[in-house]
Amino acid sequence: QGYTGLEMLLMSLAACSGTSIIALLRSSKKNISGFKVNGKGIRRAEHPTSFQKIFLEYILNSKSFL
C-alpha cells in the first residue's frame, strides 16, 4: 500500500518546481491568488520501468499579473 517510487518522484518534481516558481514570482512582486501544478508521467513498457515522458502543467491565478 502507498505510493510507488515513480509516483513519489513525480509528486516531488511537481512540488519542488512549483515552490521555485512561486518564490520567483513573489520576489518579482507579482500578486498571486492561486497556483496549482498538475503532473503526468508516461512510463516505459520495458523493464526497468522509468518515465519516458513527464508533463507538468502550471495553473496560475492572478488579478493583475503584468
Side-chain angles (χ1 to χ4, degrees):
Q1 292 183 359
Y3 296 109
T4 66
L6 288 177
E7 290 171 329
M8 290 179 18
L9 172 71
L10 189 58
M11 288 187 292
S12 298
L13 178 62
C16 186
S17 64
T19 55
S20 296
I21 289 171
I22 287 295
L24 287 170
L25 291 171
R26 285 185 177 158
S27 69
S28 299
K29 308 290 190 221
K30 302 298 181 188
N31 186 12
I32 308 301
S33 60
F35 185 78
K36 182 178 177 180
V37 181
N38 293 325
K40 178 181 179 181
I42 298 176
R43 292 174 55 168
R44 290 175 19 133
E46 309 87 34
H47 193 73
T49 57
S50 61
F51 285 120
Q52 183 176 354
K53 293 181 181 181
I54 294 177
F55 302 93
L56 295 175
E57 175 185 32
Y58 300 96
I59 302 169
L60 178 71
N61 294 329
S62 177
K63 289 187 179 183
S64 59
F65 185 72
L66 301 174

